[in-house]
Amino acid sequence: MENLIPQFDLSICIRLISSVLLGFAVGLEREMTNKYAGLRTNILVCVGACVFTLISIYGFPMVSVTGDEFGTRDTARVAAQVVTGIGFIGGGTVLRHGATVFGLTTAATLWAVASIGMACGAGMYGVALVTTFLSILVLVSVRFFEKNVLISSTKNIMRLKIALTCVNEKSNEIYDFILEKYPKLREISKKQSKQDENITKINAVIDINSKNPIQDTYKIFKPVEGIDSISIQEYNELLGK
């Protein structure tokens, strides 16, 4: 029977290198948006899918169960498991907090990257290149559309943590200002500083829907009198983003 395993020639190298480059292209977009599944994850998923496809095509010789000269060979058997196997990796990126689910886009991206790797392994460079281009286009353009057109979408809501210090005589006024400005705030606390009895610390967690949430929040607190220092940062660890 003919040995179907090819020499490690230039075509195999091109398929592997193309999977690295295309996985890098998608992973770069994920890395630039500070997602946990970034460059390394997307590159390895793409290369792994490519290698499994190569093994599926070339790794098993033709086998005859009946002993005849012509046997049967299922070239898609190993490659098909990539489709289901990638679900385990994608499932690890999906996180749930309360009624909100995060990481679905990252999981879908890994699924698409695996398909790009399989296309590279099968030598379908046109399909792999076009899929990469369309995937990046969707990730970038839809995000821009959501932020600039669908401004009221809940996806644009960012949770911020505000930590400020103020003089004691202004603490109640600032506390009431926060309650009035953010009636649906997540949490708020006020306590006297241990280092200075004349200073009060106020911490609050708010949800804000804005193109520039941190900058806009600083502008809101800028005219408030009595604030000694203020720190505003994303509070995404609670959301699992």
Side-chain angles (χ1 to χ4, degrees):
M1 290 183 290
E2 181 184 359
N3 187 358
L4 296 175
I5 303 178
Q7 298 295 324
F8 195 78
D9 56 14
L10 181 61
S11 66
I12 301 298
C13 292
I14 292 175
R15 297 183 190 189
L16 291 171
I17 293 173
S18 63
S19 68
V20 172
L21 294 177
L22 297 181
F24 174 86
V26 178
L28 181 62
E29 191 280 334
R30 296 281 84 190
E31 194 77 33
M32 292 176 64
T33 51
N34 298 316
K35 304 301 181 183
Y36 291 122
L39 278 172
R40 289 177 294 182
T41 304
N42 283 275
I43 290 173
L44 291 176
V45 166
C46 198
V47 173
C50 178
V51 172
F52 277 121
T53 303
L54 289 170
I55 293 173
S56 185
I57 296 173
Y58 302 114
F60 303 97
M62 191 175 295
V63 178
S64 175
V65 179
T66 60
D68 298 333
E69 182 180 357
F70 300 101
T72 57
R73 185 172 66 96
D74 185 2
T75 57
R77 180 168 296 179
V78 175
Q81 306 312 309
V82 176
V83 180
T84 54
I86 196 64
F88 288 97
I89 299 178
T93 66
V94 178
L95 300 174
R96 180 176 180 271
H97 179 76
T100 308
V101 179
F102 300 94
L104 289 175
T105 300
T106 300
T109 302
L110 291 175
W111 187 59
V113 166
S115 71
I116 293 170
M118 293 180 69
C120 291
M124 302 172 67
Y125 303 114
V127 173
L129 187 60
V130 171
T131 303
T132 302
F133 173 77
L134 291 176
S135 298
I136 297 175
L137 180 64
V138 168
L139 290 171
V140 174
S141 61
V142 173
R143 184 186 306 111
F144 178 83
F145 180 80
E146 289 177 342
K147 288 185 177 181
N148 293 276
V149 180
L150 303 178
I151 300 177
S152 60
S153 172
T154 56
K155 293 183 179 180
N156 293 325
I157 294 178
M158 179 176 289
R159 185 163 296 177
L160 301 178
K161 182 177 182 180
I162 302 173
L164 62 85
T165 58
C166 60
V167 293
N168 289 342
E169 51 267 28
K170 290 287 184 177
S171 62
N172 291 332
E173 183 179 338
I174 295 174
Y175 188 90
D176 293 338
F177 170 81
I178 297 175
L179 290 176
E180 181 181 355
K181 192 67 180 179
Y182 304 101
K184 296 182 179 180
L185 57 81
R186 293 290 176 172
E187 60 182 70
I188 187 170
S189 63
K190 181 178 68 171
K191 62 180 180 179
Q192 192 173 20
S193 174
K194 296 180 180 179
Q195 290 77 18
D196 190 341
E197 295 182 353
N198 296 318
I199 296 295
T200 298
K201 294 182 177 180
I202 299 177
N203 294 316
V205 177
I206 65 171
D207 289 340
I208 183 171
N209 192 330
S210 171
K211 291 184 179 180
N212 302 297
I214 295 180
Q215 294 88 333
D216 291 344
T217 305
Y218 272 118
K219 291 180 182 179
I220 291 173
F221 281 89
K222 186 176 181 180
V224 179
E225 296 181 357
I227 296 179
D228 184 54
S229 65
I230 183 170
S231 171
I232 303 173
Q233 59 185 353
E234 294 184 28
Y235 198 52
N236 291 337
E237 61 270 20
L238 180 61
L239 295 176
K241 285 185 179 179

